[in-house]
Amino acid sequence: MNSDSDLQIAGDILEVPHLLQPAREHPATVAEFVGLARAIAADRSQWEHLVRYDAASRWYHRLRTGPGYEVWLLSWVPGQGSGLHDHGRSSGVLTVLDGELTERTERGAKALAPGAQRVFAPGYVHEVVNDSLEPAISLHVYYPGLTEMPMHAAQCAAVTPDDITGDVVTA
């Protein structure tokens, strides 16, 4: 019986440089964009000092750009919403950082608590609203960078708080 292990025979496979994928400087897959959003969300020092609240309109700040993508920080005071829209040819990741937001689509409404993430493809129509009594903060990653945000006529049915579900991706 041979007592040599694979490690003894071939060496540690992780030590063979040509077999390892180089670490990417920028995300390139949906999972990597979700990971980028989670990493930024987890490091409050990257964004907390930038947040402002504006009673007249949603406040936003471009936090970061990379090859073909943008990261935006938004704040929402109670009652503010995006209106029903899509993101043109951009895909995106929405992450709630603080507070609570409601996402409305033709399929219903979902409550989004801190850590909740929504991933969407080009043409995805939704409305995001702060229905709570406290301010909220969200992070948005768009690929490619956001160049248009077509508005849509109201097609979401009126939603009551009892209709809101909570089945979303959470960190």
Side-chain angles (χ1 to χ4, degrees), residues 26-170:
H26 297 284
T29 66
V30 171
E32 289 171 346
F33 283 111
V34 167
L36 171 65
R38 285 184 179 173
I40 293 170
D43 185 359
R44 294 181 77 89
S45 69
Q46 288 189 50
W47 55 267
E48 190 171 45
H49 64 284
L50 299 169
V51 175
R52 305 288 180 267
Y53 296 100
D54 185 338
S57 67
R58 283 178 299 133
W59 172 88
Y60 52 91
H61 172 78
R62 188 165 54 191
L63 191 60
R64 183 184 298 180
T65 61
Y69 71 92
E70 298 177 328
V71 179
W72 289 86
L73 184 64
L74 280 76
S75 71
W76 313 70
V77 299
Q80 286 181 336
S82 65
L84 194 61
H85 67 280
D86 70 57
H87 303 93
R89 61 186 193 95
S90 298
S91 295
V93 179
L94 159 66
T95 305
V96 178
L97 302 177
D98 267 338
E100 185 175 287
L101 295 171
T102 302
E103 181 191 37
R104 295 184 181 124
T105 68
E106 64 183 11
R107 296 176 60 178
K110 296 190 185 311
L112 305 174
Q117 291 189 295
R118 301 291 290 153
V119 177
F120 51 87
Y124 178 73
V125 178
H126 69 158
E127 176 180 30
V128 179
V129 179
N130 182 352
D131 285 330
S132 77
L133 298 176
E134 300 294 327
I137 304 168
S138 59
L139 184 78
H140 304 249
V141 180
Y142 299 108
Y143 179 84
L146 194 60
T147 59
E148 59 181 321
M149 195 172 117
M151 300 306 289
H152 294 258
Q155 64 189 45
C156 294
V159 178
T160 67
D162 294 336
D163 296 327
I164 298 173
T165 62
D167 57 336
V168 295
V169 177
T170 58

